Structures are given as structure tokens and as C-alpha cells.
Amino acid sequence: MLSKKEKYIIRIIRFFPLFLIFAIAIIGMYLFLVEHEKHYHKEITNIKSKFINQEKQRIKNEVNRVYEYIQFHKQNSEERLKKLIKYQVYEAHAIMQGVYNEYKNKKSKKEIIHMMKAALEQIRFLDGRGYFYIYDMQGNNIFHPILKSLEGRSLWNHKDITGKLIVQEGIKALKSKNETYDEWYWQEPNSKKIKRKIGFHKIFEPYNIFVGTGEYTQEYEKELKSYILKYISKIKFLDDKIISVIDYDGVVLTSKNKDIINKNIINIKNKEDYQPYKELLKIAKSKKQQGFLTYENSTNINKDKYIQKTTFVKGLDDWKWAVYASFYKDSLKKELDARLETLANEDKKTIKSFLLLGAILTIIMLAISFYVIKLLEKSFYDYREKILEEAQKNRQKDTILAQQSKMAAMGEMIANITHQWRQPLSVISTAVTGLKFEKELGILKDDNFYRGMDSIHNSVMHLSKTIDDFRNFFKPNKDKINFNLKDVVEKTLKLLSSQFDINNIYFIKNCENIKIHGTENELVQVLINIINNSRDALKHVDNKRLIFIDIFKQNGKVVLLVKDTAGGINKSIIKKVFEPYFTTKKDTGTGIGLYMSKKIIKDSLNGEISVSNETFVYESIQYKGACFKLIFDLVD
């Protein structure tokens, strides 16, 4: 016949894990659904906002890419020009060298030079602007295919508008090296304007003359601009849209609408009398030289009825260009609606998947719980049967005391089971919720999925390990064996850890690996009684709550010390603590814990136990507390 307390313990063993699992499952699912609904609506808002921001970023990236392309070609334009004219002069020099090599022994110098001039006369490059000229080292022009009037004349003292002696300085440079770059200002034949020119000269050593050419930088830059505009007009993105360019005066340089190229659109207005292109140019000319502009309705250029247009523009001050790209909000509606529909479908799948996963996990946990409950019940009944068997062999008083002591320990253990189950069950719930949220947001990666599954698996294994630890404690094993004292301490602390963590009680261990002979589980019960007494005393102190456990050899014996910082035991009662039914805990104590501990130490472990008050220093702070000293025989 079970006692009321035993029946209460059985009810806890049978129903508490089931209640805890159902409670966590229901609360977890409820919280999930509530939070999921909030996040779903928030995600819809975020998607709309992000979608527009993504399109804005896309047109910004396209404009920046074109801008970088222009800057690259602009910054390297003179270097490319120099390489080009150098290459052309090298070609001319090669022609002259070829003529010379062919006729140097057949014709006179004058005849050979005449042949060289004839060979170079018709050569043109750089869209017809490029040609070659020849001078001697005294500044006399020998050959000029454009200005024939210069041939035979000395230009030694000729200056450009900056006062530079063009021919003199060029010859001076050539005397130190046989080829050189140069620059000067010269009249451009077509426009008759003085423009900057870059040239390259190379000496033809057999006759001590030099051949050269030059190009107007402004003309080359025009050619470069034309090339870049053609390239830009071919770039397409975002539903066949292109990058557009207008100059700072409002003239369109390139656009998808061919009818407005080379026309001024700065004063064009929409139906609300708004001038978008004027605003675009303001942004391009501003200090930041870039920005977004959003405006309503179409203009008389674009007849389509778009609700809203967003444009990103960037200014290029050197060329006075504004580069821009746009998108229309209406054109994104179809794609946005499709994305929202996908989100809704994914949301439904996520809820179904979560509920299914939650049901599966709940069933698994229930199966584990039923298994654990059966083990605990079996352990409980086995242990109870063992107690009854021992009762027949020993005095009825001692048997009752032993049974009460073990039942009290079992009550402690059941409480510890509930504490130690909460964290892994919480981890499982958190992992499941986290996986769902990542799936909902569309950011669930394989690594995160497997990490979540590993977390759930590790928590389940931790639950199983916890049950194994407590089951081992409940085993009615009376066999005496050799065992490691340090391992017993670790096993005891593992069983009690949750109760001490919540009371901020910390253990300071200094344990050697030493073996003794006796009943291992009985010693665990003794340590539980001693450490729980320290716990109850430490709950009422304000200083550091510490329990020290030391294991060492002394005088051929094994000593185990357990002391705390609770202030010690009253001198008037310290000698009574090992008496049966003596307790200072009026409502909760049985008075049999230390009595049975002393009996176990003596009968099952052939040892001794004593208690005293000690004052000691730890980390420069002085403490006072009770010290239990256990002495055992050393096993070889």
C-alpha cells in the first residue's frame, strides 16, 4: 500500500512531464501564430518598401556604372591619344627608313627626301585630321602636306599664343633624346581657332631631320564623347530601358526617344506645371552632384499615363553632362503583386510545416516522456521493493528512517528533473520558432536548418542523459565496489545543479582522483543530504554563497571536506545534528538526513563523519561556515 507522499510522487512522475510538454507545445504554437501574423503583415509592408528601394538601387547602380565608364575613358583620353600619335609617327619613320634603305646607294639625298614626302603626302588618320610633317634640326620646314607655304621656311622663331618657341624647344628636347612628346597651341584649319595640340617627334638620324604629327585635344575629346554616347545608347536594363544623357543647358544627347535627341527639353512641363528636367539639372549641378527625383504624371514627351516616375541623376561637371535613368511605379506593379502572392503561398506553407513539425516533435517528446515515466516508475517501485526487503532484515525503526530519507531524496530529485528539463525544452521550442521565422523571411539556409536540427537533437539527447543520471541514482544497488571519489562528487553536483543555480550558489572544488571501497549510490545520498543542508543555510546569507569540496590524502586515509560560507552551526546544537529526528527546519525537515548519513558512512563505507565550524579566507575575504569531514580507507 502506497503512502500519500508516495502516491504524490507517482502522480508527479506520471503527469508532470506530460503537462509540461502539452503546456509548452500549446503556448509555443499560440505565441508563434500571434507573432507570425504580426511579422507577416510587417513583411508585406517591408517587401513593398524594399521592392521600390531595390529598383532605385538598380537605376543608381546603372548610372554609376556609366559614370565610372565615362570617367575612366576621360581620364585616360590623353594617354591613349599620345600612344596613337606615337604609333603613327613610328609608322611614318618606318616608311622613311624603308625608302632610305632601298635607295641610299642609288639616289641623292634630295631625291630620297622627295620620295619620302611623296610616300607620306596622302596618309591621313584621326578622322582625316592627322598628317605628318618634317623639319631639319635648324628649324626649317621640309615637308607639310596641308600648309605647303611653310615648306622651305624657317620656323625657328615661331611662337604660339603662350609665347612658346615651338620649333626651338622641340629641337632642344630632341638633342637630348631622339624622340619626344610636345604640346603647343596651333590654328585649327577648319574653324581657324587656336586650340591646344599634343605632338610626337622622332629623329631620322641618317639625314639629321625629324618627322612628327599632332592632334587637337579638343577634337579628340569630341570624338571620345561621340564614342561614349553611342556606347551609352546601347546599354539596356529594366524592361528595355536605357541610360539617358542631357547637357547642363538641357539638350538631349542620348535617349530612348529618338525624336528629342539634340533638342532642348529643360522647359518641358507635366500637366501639373512641374518642370522635371529643370529639377534634374539642379540636382546634377548641386554640391553632391547626384540624387533621386520622384514626380507624378507624364510629360508631353512621354504620353504614357504612368502614376509615378522615379529618376536617379548624376552630374559630370567637366563635360557638363547629366546622366540619368528612371523607372515607373506602375511598371513594377505586376512583379510586386506576383512577389506578394508568392509570399502569401509561402506563408501558408510555413504555417502548415510548423504545425506539422510541432505535432511531430510533440509526439516524439510524448513518446520519450512515456518511456521515461515507465523507467522512473519502475525505478521507484524497484527501490520501494528493495526498501521493503531491507525492512525485513533490519530493525523496523532504522528501515522506516532509511525509507523516509530516500523518499525525501527522491522528492528532491523529481524537483531537479523538472528544473533540468525546462532549459532543453525551451531550446527545442526556440529552435523550432527560429527555423519557422527564417523560413517565413525567405532566408532559411541549409546551414541554419541543419544547425537548428542539431540543436533539437542535442537537447533531446540532453533530456535522455538527464534521465539516465537520475535513473542511475535510483538504482537499488547495494553492491560494494571500488569507485573514484571525485566521480561521485561530480555525479552528485550534476543531480543538484539546477537547485543551486537558481539560488546563486557556487561550488569551489579541489578534488584529487582517489578511489575508495563501498556502496557508491549510498555515498551520493550522503553528499546530497550534506550539500542540501548547506543550500538551505546559504539561502539566508547576503555575502557570497559558496560551497567548498576538497578531496585529498592525509595520514594514509582519504579525506573529503564539505564546507560553506553560511556562518556555521549554533554551538548549542552542533553536537545534536546526527541524532534521529533532530531538525531546525520546523515545517520542512524530517531530522533523519544526517542521522542516516552517519549510519551509511559507518555501515556501507566503513568510514567516519564529523562536523565543526571553521573560519577561513578565500580571495582575501574571511568567511565562517560549517565543515563536514568524511574519512575513508584508502584503496591501493
Side-chain angles (χ1 to χ4, degrees), residues 223-425:
E223 191 175 286
L224 177 63
K225 287 180 180 178
S226 177
Y227 169 80
I228 288 174
L229 289 173
K230 287 179 182 178
Y231 169 78
I232 292 173
S233 67
K234 295 177 182 179
I235 298 175
K236 295 183 180 180
F237 72 99
L238 195 65
D239 300 330
D240 208 30
K241 291 182 173 58
I242 70 168
I243 304 294
S244 299
V245 181
I246 60 174
D247 65 20
Y248 279 6
D249 295 324
V251 176
V252 178
L253 302 179
T254 180
S255 172
K256 186 177 181 180
N257 187 345
K258 304 297 183 181
D259 296 335
I260 64 171
I261 293 177
N262 295 324
K263 292 183 180 179
N264 195 306
I265 61 172
I266 192 168
N267 294 318
I268 287 178
K269 302 177 182 179
N270 64 9
K271 71 176 185 179
E272 296 177 348
D273 211 30
Y274 182 76
Q275 296 177 295
Y277 297 103
K278 183 175 285 188
E279 294 302 318
L280 279 179
L281 290 174
K282 282 183 182 179
I283 296 172
K285 296 175 185 178
S286 67
K287 188 175 181 180
K288 291 184 178 180
Q289 293 187 308
Q290 64 178 12
F292 287 95
L293 180 67
T294 300
Y295 52 94
E296 302 292 333
N297 297 324
S298 62
T299 66
N300 55 2
I301 292 177
N302 185 0
K303 305 298 182 181
D304 297 327
K305 295 180 180 180
Y306 293 109
I307 294 175
Q308 193 178 79
K309 181 178 181 180
T310 298
T311 299
F312 178 78
V313 63
K314 191 161 187 173
L316 185 66
D317 274 354
D318 291 345
W319 287 359
K320 299 189 182 304
W321 282 6
V323 183
Y324 66 93
S326 308
F327 71 88
Y328 299 95
K329 187 176 180 181
D330 276 8
S331 66
L332 306 177
K333 186 176 185 303
K334 183 177 180 181
E335 189 175 347
L336 178 59
D337 289 344
R339 191 173 294 188
L340 291 177
E341 184 179 355
T342 300
L343 176 65
N345 293 332
E346 289 178 353
D347 178 68
K348 292 177 182 178
K349 290 180 182 179
T350 299
I351 293 177
K352 290 180 180 178
S353 298
F354 176 78
L355 293 176
L356 178 61
L357 181 61
I360 292 173
L361 289 174
T362 302
I363 292 171
I364 292 173
M365 293 306 300
L366 287 173
I368 294 173
S369 297
F370 280 120
Y371 175 72
V372 170
I373 288 169
K374 291 298 181 182
L375 289 177
L376 289 175
E377 282 194 66
K378 185 177 184 303
S379 298
F380 180 84
Y381 284 114
D382 289 346
Y383 192 75
R384 183 175 180 276
E385 185 178 347
K386 188 68 176 178
I387 291 175
L388 294 176
E389 290 176 0
E390 290 296 322
Q392 297 174 1
K393 300 177 183 179
N394 299 294
R395 292 177 305 167
Q396 185 177 5
K397 175 183 176 181
D398 288 340
T399 302
I400 294 172
L401 291 177
Q403 184 178 2
Q404 290 176 340
S405 175
K406 199 66 174 183
M407 291 302 103
M410 289 180 73
E412 290 280 346
M413 293 305 99
I414 296 299
N416 283 329
I417 290 176
T418 62
H419 280 288
Q420 294 202 23
W421 271 28
R422 285 174 183 165
Q423 183 178 1
L425 288 173

Side-chain angles (χ1 to χ4, degrees), residues 200-239:
F200 182 79
H201 302 141
K202 184 175 179 62
I203 291 178
F204 185 72
E205 294 180 352
Y207 293 152
N208 199 27
I209 59 177
F210 66 89
V211 62
T213 189
E215 167 64 331
Y216 298 99
T217 56
Q218 189 174 345
E219 296 302 317
Y220 184 74
E221 192 171 82
K222 283 182 182 178
E223 191 175 286
L224 177 63
K225 287 180 180 178
S226 177
Y227 169 80
I228 288 174
L229 289 173
K230 287 179 182 178
Y231 169 78
I232 292 173
S233 67
K234 295 177 182 179
I235 298 175
K236 295 183 180 180
F237 72 99
L238 195 65
D239 300 330

